[in-house]
Amino acid sequence: MAWTPQEMLTTFRKARLLRVLLVYLGASFAVIEAVDILIDSVGLPDWVLPGAVVLLLLGLPIIVATALVQAAPDTAIAKPSTADGAAEVEAEPMPATTAADVAATAKHWLTWRKAIMGGLLAFALLGIAVTGYTVMRVLGIGPVGSLVAKGVLDEGERIILADFENLTADTTLAIVVTEALRIDLDQSPLIRIADHQYVAGVLQRMGSAADASVDAELAREMAIREGLKAIITGEVGAVGGGYMLSAEIGESLKSISANEPLAKVTTSSLDGLRKYTLARRSYYVVGDEAKALSLLEEAIALDSSFAAAWAVTGVILTNRFGERARAVEALTKAYELRDRMGDRERYMDSGLYWDYVMGEPDKAITAYRSLLDIYPDDSPALNNLANMYYDLREWERAEEMYRRSIEVDDSANIIPFVNIIQVQFFQGKYDEARASHETMKRWFPGHPWNGSYGSALASARGDYVEAEAQVLALREAQKESPRWRASTSWGLSNLAYVQGKLADGERHRRDAMEANEDRGFAQGYVTTAVNIALMDVAFRGDIPRGMQTVDAALSKYPLDSMAPLDRPYLGLANLYSYGAMPERAVAMMQEYEEIDPDLRRENEPSHHMAKGILAEAEGRFDDAIDELRAWDAGTDCQVCALAELGRAYLAAGEVDSALAVSERYVETPHLWRAYWDGIYLASTYERLGALYEQRGDAQKAIYYYGKLIDLWEDADPELLPRVEAARRAIAALSSDR
């Protein structure tokens, strides 16, 4: 198809215009980036960037017009072809001025040279304005010389006034001058001088007397701790028969902008405070537990009375489970130092102690409420008080407080996010839980808990393929960490066991054992061995093999090599009860009960569990039911006790209760049920199918037998006879119907 001259001309002009626009946009982007870098690096005023953007926007239509004019023909415009195919070219008529005149005039004014020179001139004027502003700012000339205009301070921002240095013989003069200047500066609408109460609070957190003299060096440290941008220092000297007063801002804008506020906690060590602040970020924002614990150890080495560092150490160890002795030691140390702290720290450390160490939730709730009475928007206190309601299974109340904790401190702490995901899921708010998880991933990218909670959300809904993918991605991302190797191996093992893949489950559990050994975690090594043995007993009925695994682990790491609180007495008692060795179970229980009762209180639900399983093994089914119900009532876990309780009810001949509790187990939403499902889910489906078959309820019997078949579709060969029995039961029930 042939093009007319007019079409060719239009195409050429569009192509040229597009190239010009691309070049201009690229140059504009480079200019904006350069200005932004200069603002950050040399402290140009913030208005320079929008000024540059305005100039670039004003230049755009000039550039477009120049490109169009310079691409236009000089004297003629093509007309469409005539009927015989010949093209006619003639000048368009103009009433007073010819087209050639207009084009010539436009081309005279809209040249590339003039467009470029105009742009350079505009930016030169901007540069002159910036230079003049900067000179006036540095010399303190005119309104731009104010601290706010300089960009050093935001309007109304707090600064610290140091006590002036006295260079005269009058010992009271500096005090009088400092207070006089404070009174003057208090009238300023632009800045806010830190009052005596504020200064006293900072000094107290530093371990200094509340009325200590604040010299320039101390004022600087206070500003660093509080994240303040400036201090005012000065001196009073004698000149002739009078005095000379000089004052200055004690930090440059560039160095101030590089400082981040440090945590407002009590310690005499500034370096320790820095390490503590970095530790909190490493754990709560990034998810690097090892780095956080290392930094906290360094902070405590610098200040052994650093209560907040002890407290966060205890929280981290509590959250990652299995290191209770160290966690109790750290939280107890923080509690013992509480009287040296301000209200916020004292109530926080008390709440942690009564909750995690002593297991007395009422006292913990009182401590957190007292803190919130003084600081109603304290995010950690809101989160920890919500934890108390979480433990009481008051999910809605807990969710509300977790949400408040997030709102007042949204991107500084991942803990309220993981907690709100759990309580939303427990209430059956699956979409809300997934939405909270997505928000968490956006605000804390790269945090390992994104993967662990993603896996939990999938596995709790029965999507084991997605759950495994999430764990494998987490494992790859954290491949250098023995702690996460152990955790992800444990997670993969749970997913394998629940699907009847016993060999894979054991392989992953043994990998978790090795990872725990690599990180020097003896208790984790032995506990994992106990769990492998438990699976041998539960699924294979192979007691000798299970005992061999445990005995080998205990030979390597005897119980007396661990702190008493870390010894897996109750796990061993459960294993021995299941393995028909009640006398050994009793021995484990007796050793456990020799531990300080106050320190055992927090773990009392697991104690009831072990006593209930032992009672089952000894045929004391009524006692077993009582203990297992106490286990269920004492834990925040909605499902953990139910499957075992269903077994006990059935053994006691209470079929209705066995049915009700077993159905509660399979139907209750719980985020962390993968471990319990690995042990109990398949057998609970079998039990429900058999009980409904006995009752003549074919529909429900078929439903639960079918759930077993679906769950163990790819189970190991040794479990297939149970799957085939379920198929035969369905066939018989279907033919009867």
Side-chain angles (χ1 to χ4, degrees):
M1 183 176 84
W3 282 13
T4 66
Q6 177 68 37
E7 291 171 333
M8 294 178 64
L9 177 60
T10 300
T11 302
F12 170 75
R13 294 173 72 185
K14 289 180 178 178
R16 185 171 185 179
L17 177 60
L18 180 61
R19 289 197 298 273
V20 169
L21 285 174
L22 289 174
V23 171
Y24 187 78
L25 292 175
S28 298
F29 177 78
V31 169
I32 291 172
E33 284 294 302
V35 170
D36 191 41
I37 291 172
L38 289 173
I39 289 173
D40 288 338
S41 60
V42 301
L44 291 182
D46 290 340
W47 53 260
V48 177
L49 183 58
V53 172
V54 168
L55 291 178
L56 291 169
L57 290 175
L58 291 174
L60 180 59
I62 297 174
I63 292 296
V64 171
T66 301
L68 291 173
V69 167
Q70 293 300 318
D74 289 332
T75 60
I77 299 174
K79 292 181 64 176
S81 301
T82 60
D84 61 3
E88 293 183 3
V89 178
E90 63 180 36
E92 291 284 346
M94 297 285 289
T97 306
T98 66
D101 292 337
V102 174
T105 301
K107 285 196 172 185
H108 172 74
W109 289 104
L110 294 173
T111 66
W112 286 116
R113 182 176 182 275
K114 290 179 178 177
I116 293 171
M117 290 301 295
L120 292 176
L121 178 60
F123 273 92
L125 291 174
L126 177 63
I128 292 171
V130 172
T131 302
Y133 179 96
T134 303
V135 170
M136 294 176 69
R137 191 179 73 179
V138 170
L139 297 179
I141 301 172
V144 302
S146 73
L147 296 172
V148 174
K150 287 181 180 182
V152 175
L153 300 173
D154 294 329
E155 186 170 338
E157 186 162 355
R158 179 186 281 121
I159 63 175
I160 290 180
L161 174 61
D163 294 339
F164 275 40
E165 183 180 359
N166 188 6
L167 303 179
T168 74
D170 187 345
T171 58
T172 65
L173 184 60
I175 299 173
V176 173
V177 169
T178 302
E179 286 306 306
L181 183 59
R182 179 187 302 278
I183 293 170
D184 253 359
L185 292 176
D186 278 341
Q187 312 306 311
S188 170
L190 299 179
I191 61 174
R192 179 162 55 113
I193 297 297
D195 59 31
H196 292 294
Q197 183 178 1
Y198 178 88
V199 171
V202 179
L203 289 170
Q204 183 183 32
R205 290 194 292 273
M206 296 172 66
S208 301
D211 58 352
S213 176
V214 180
D215 60 17
E217 188 60 32
L218 185 58
R220 184 177 184 277
E221 180 176 340
M222 293 168 68
I224 292 172
R225 285 170 173 264
E226 296 295 294
L228 305 183
K229 292 182 179 178
I231 62 173
I232 296 178
T233 62
E235 60 184 30
V236 182
V239 177
Y243 301 100
M244 181 178 70
L245 170 68
S246 64
E248 62 179 10
I249 295 295
E251 285 284 356
S252 70
L253 175 62
K254 186 176 178 182
S255 65
I256 288 166
S257 63
N259 291 335
E260 291 186 3
L262 301 178
K264 296 181 179 179
V265 292
T266 305
T267 176
S268 60
S269 170
L270 177 59
D271 193 30
L273 182 59
R274 287 194 179 99
K275 292 180 183 298
Y276 170 84
T277 303
L278 290 173
R280 284 186 60 89
R281 176 172 176 78
S282 296
Y283 181 65
Y284 291 117
V285 178
V286 180
D288 191 337
E289 292 177 358
K291 182 178 180 180
L293 288 170
S294 176
L295 285 166
L296 290 168
E297 287 178 2
E298 294 175 19
I300 291 169
L302 291 167
D303 178 7
S304 61
S305 63
F306 196 165
W310 284 110
V312 174
T313 298
V315 169
I316 294 174
L317 294 172
T318 298
N319 285 346
R320 76 180 195 174
F321 305 108
E323 297 180 64
R324 179 156 170 74
R326 286 179 63 197
V328 166
E329 177 188 9
L331 293 172
T332 302
K333 184 67 174 179
Y335 179 74
E336 290 171 347
L337 293 165
R338 69 193 183 283
D339 290 338
R340 303 174 56 182
M341 311 300 136
D343 289 339
R344 177 182 267 118
E345 291 177 79
R346 182 169 66 254
Y347 287 128
M348 176 60 70
D349 294 346
S350 296
L352 292 171
Y353 176 78
W354 291 117
D355 182 14
Y356 294 130
V357 177
M358 303 303 290
E360 296 195 30
D362 291 342
K363 292 183 178 180
I365 289 172
T366 298
Y368 294 134
R369 283 179 173 166
S370 297
L371 195 162
L372 290 169
D373 285 342
I374 305 171
Y375 306 101
D377 289 332
D378 188 277
S379 179
L382 288 167
N383 176 82
N384 290 4
L385 182 56
N387 287 344
M388 300 293 96
Y389 299 126
Y390 175 106
D391 291 343
L392 297 171
R393 303 189 191 180
E394 295 184 24
W395 310 127
E396 292 183 5
R397 195 172 184 182
E399 181 184 359
E400 177 188 354
M401 300 201 74
Y402 288 135
R403 184 171 286 108
R404 282 183 57 198
S405 178
I406 290 170
E407 288 170 354
V408 299
D409 198 11
D410 52 21
S411 60
N413 192 337
I414 198 174
I415 299 293
F417 283 89
V418 298
N419 288 335
I420 203 170
I421 290 170
Q422 293 180 118
V423 297
Q424 286 171 336
F425 196 91
F426 296 164
Q427 296 172 80
K429 298 179 179 180
Y430 306 125
D431 292 339
E432 289 92 332
R434 283 193 289 267
S436 296
H437 182 242
E438 291 301 318
T439 302
M440 184 177 86
K441 289 194 294 184
R442 289 196 302 272
W443 287 2
F444 302 91
H447 198 293
W449 288 358
N450 291 330
S452 58
Y453 276 77
S455 175
L457 284 166
S459 64
R461 298 282 284 165
D463 188 348
Y464 302 119
V465 174
E466 173 62 19
E468 183 176 353
Q470 293 271 357
V471 177
L472 290 173
L474 173 59
R475 185 180 183 86
E476 176 62 23
Q478 299 291 328
K479 59 186 176 183
E480 302 301 323
S481 167
R483 177 260 191 271
W484 281 105
R485 176 188 164 197
S487 179
T488 54
S489 293
W490 185 269
L492 291 170
S493 180
N494 290 339
L495 297 174
Y497 277 127
V498 75
Q499 297 174 84
K501 300 175 182 180
L502 304 183
D504 286 347
E506 180 173 340
R507 175 169 56 84
H508 290 307
R509 282 282 203 270
R510 291 192 179 276
D511 187 68
M513 286 177 65
E514 293 179 8
N516 281 323
E517 187 168 33
D518 289 345
R519 67 187 183 115
F521 188 25
Q523 193 250 3
Y525 181 93
V526 175
T527 297
T528 308
V530 170
N531 193 263
I532 292 171
L534 180 65
M535 293 305 192
D536 269 335
V537 173
F539 284 103
R540 297 188 175 100
D542 194 339
I543 296 174
R545 187 173 188 269
M547 295 306 110
Q548 182 180 8
T549 298
V550 170
D551 291 343
L554 289 174
S555 175
K556 181 175 287 190
Y557 298 107
L559 290 178
D560 59 10
S561 68
M562 309 171 206
L565 280 176
D566 289 343
R567 297 171 189 171
Y569 286 127
L570 298 181
L572 285 164
N574 293 338
L575 173 64
Y576 295 141
S577 295
Y578 283 127
M581 292 178 281
E583 68 289 344
R584 295 182 69 176
V586 169
M588 291 294 100
M589 298 279 285
Q590 289 174 342
E591 290 192 41
Y592 173 77
E593 289 164 359
E594 291 175 1
I595 297 173
D596 184 345
D598 287 339
L599 299 181
R600 287 195 281 110
R601 189 183 298 114
E602 193 270 342
N603 202 35
E604 194 59 18
S606 296
H607 191 198
H608 285 299
M609 172 192 179
K611 289 192 288 187
I613 293 173
L614 176 59
E616 280 187 276
E618 294 178 336
R620 297 181 287 109
F621 300 120
D622 289 342
D623 291 342
I625 290 170
D626 290 342
E627 293 292 349
L628 295 174
R629 290 180 64 181
W631 172 25
D632 180 52
T635 178
D636 56 55
C637 179
Q638 299 158 283
V639 302
C640 299
L642 298 182
E644 193 66 49
L645 184 55
R647 279 169 32 103
Y649 274 127
L650 186 60
E654 299 184 30
V655 177
D656 290 344
S657 295
L659 274 171
V661 170
S662 297
E663 285 196 312
R664 272 179 56 203
Y665 173 74
V666 300
E667 293 173 359
T668 300
H670 191 74
L671 194 62
W672 302 105
R673 62 178 305 139
Y675 168 74
W676 302 102
D677 283 351
I679 302 171
Y680 291 120
L681 186 57
S683 61
T684 304
Y685 283 150
E686 281 182 309
R687 182 186 314 129
L688 286 167
L691 290 176
Y692 278 117
E693 182 179 6
Q694 293 168 14
R695 289 205 160 187
D697 190 336
Q699 183 177 357
K700 284 195 171 182
I702 290 172
Y703 172 78
Y704 285 115
Y705 283 136
K707 296 289 284 185
L708 170 64
I709 293 167
D710 291 341
L711 184 67
W712 278 1
E713 181 181 6
D714 298 318
D716 286 357
E718 57 201 296
L719 298 178
L720 292 182
R722 292 167 64 178
V723 176
E724 291 304 315
R727 293 186 192 278
R728 289 194 299 271
I730 289 176
L733 289 165
S734 299
S735 63
D736 289 345
R737 294 178 69 189

